Amino acid sequence: MQILEVEISTEYIALNDLLKISGVVDSGGAGKALVASGVVNVNGVQELRKTNKIRPGMVVQVADDVEIRVVAAEA
């Protein structure tokens, strides 16, 4: 499994945008389709809300392929 760490400098990021900036998908639309397919988990729970607010400390897993750990950017 590939583990990625993504820093965000805002309070949260939309799930589909996180998938895009982490390189898992090429566009926000592809991120929405991936979430809708049911293979995305947030903190171990299946997530179907495409624009769910992902905050630092949360872990997003895509199938058994990729794990994205979200951290706050250093001030």
Side-chain angles (χ1 to χ4, degrees):
M1 175 183 294
Q2 182 181 11
I3 298 176
L4 306 172
E5 189 172 278
V6 174
E7 279 190 12
I8 61 171
S9 58
T10 56
E11 180 184 350
Y12 64 86
I13 185 170
L15 178 56
N16 62 307
D17 292 334
L18 175 66
L19 295 171
K20 179 180 153 186
I21 68 162
S22 65
V24 174
V25 295
D26 293 331
S27 68
K32 288 180 180 182
L34 188 64
V35 173
S37 73
V39 299
V40 177
N41 291 336
V42 175
N43 292 339
V45 178
Q46 183 183 44
E47 183 57 70
L48 297 173
R49 294 173 294 172
K50 301 164 191 77
T51 58
N52 184 27
K53 295 176 181 176
I54 306 300
R55 292 179 164 80
M58 298 177 93
V59 176
V60 175
Q61 187 173 353
V62 181
D64 290 328
D65 301 331
V66 180
E67 180 175 286
I68 305 167
R69 298 175 182 172
V70 180
V71 296
E74 297 289 325

